[in-house]
Amino acid sequence: MFKTLQNLADLRVTLRPDGPLLIRAQSVGIDPGPADMEFQRTRRAGKSTVYLAGSGLKGVLRAHCERLLRSAGRFACDPTHVRDPQTCGGRSDRDPADPKRYPHAANCAACFTFGSLKVAGRFRVADAYPAKAEEEAANRTEVRTGVGIDRKSQAASGGVLYDAEVVVGGAFDVRISGENYALWQLGLVLTALDDMAGGLVRIGGAKARGMGGVTLESWAVGLSFVDARAGKLAGAHLVQGDKSYGLPAEDLLDAPAGGGESRRGLFRVVRYEGDAVPRLTAALVAGPLDAYLHPEGR
Ligand SMILES: [Zn+2]
């Protein structure tokens, strides 16, 4: 992968259920599908607790980013179609990669951001555990009785009832970290999170029954850069002797107002919190992300 370390991102946000969120059930009938966020149970510090699997949260964010990319006319493969020869992970290395569809070292924009079987993603999502003060509330789950869904017809299958455990309260610490990302990728991830906060992205199984809404609060974004260009956000750029990954020679943006700049070791750190985060997101979307999605309009 990258021989150099150019930048890091540390995105933290608190996720709160806005209505019931399904926990993965042991029984059949409510398989939430591979792209759905999943609450699961584990033991932590001797206690049973619900948590949100990072892979599930990443799947939901990725699926939404794929839709955003496709809406802008860009190709994004669907990695849940494992046998589809168009997916980056399933594509044969013998076929030349169309640079329009697979511009990032033979990967599409979504795989380059979130990873595929062949490439590590630029962003990782950690498992989200209940915030310390919210452990009890998060684990005060309820049981709902639902109707099983028939796999083939996608309709309610006659008489199949299941008991589903749902999370109804508490708060979960979400942490997403990025490394060697282009600024358009940071904009894409932040705007997808913003859409989730705005109710556009629902999570978990049984979305159609009004479940899966969340609110996101206490936003904090820490961005670390190895360069010394004060006042700038710097995306990963092409480095001589490294694979190109479809990165530009330079990827810079004036840091939007509201970010505090400091130093930590060799890094220049720019931090956005609370109300300053939407300003950061808006600047990344209007600048680098828009330029990436619509290069012809520039
Ligand atoms: Zn792909």
Side-chain angles (χ1 to χ4, degrees), residues 62 75-79 86-89 102 106-112 115-116:
R62 177 184 165 128
F75 173 76
C77 82
D78 181 344
Q86 292 195 55
T87 64
C88 299
Y102 309 99
N107 279 273
C108 74
C111 288
F112 184 54
S116 73

Side-chain angles (χ1 to χ4, degrees), residues 8 48 59 74 109 114 122 137 165 183 186 247 257 266 280 292:
L8 298 168
S48 168
R74 300 298 295 243
F114 294 102
R122 308 266 54 87
E165 189 181 9
L183 293 182
L186 180 62
L247 294 170
L266 289 176
L280 168 68
Y292 176 79

Side-chain angles (χ1 to χ4, degrees), residues 147-150 155-161:
V147 179
I149 303 296
D150 183 89
S157 56
V160 179
L161 289 178

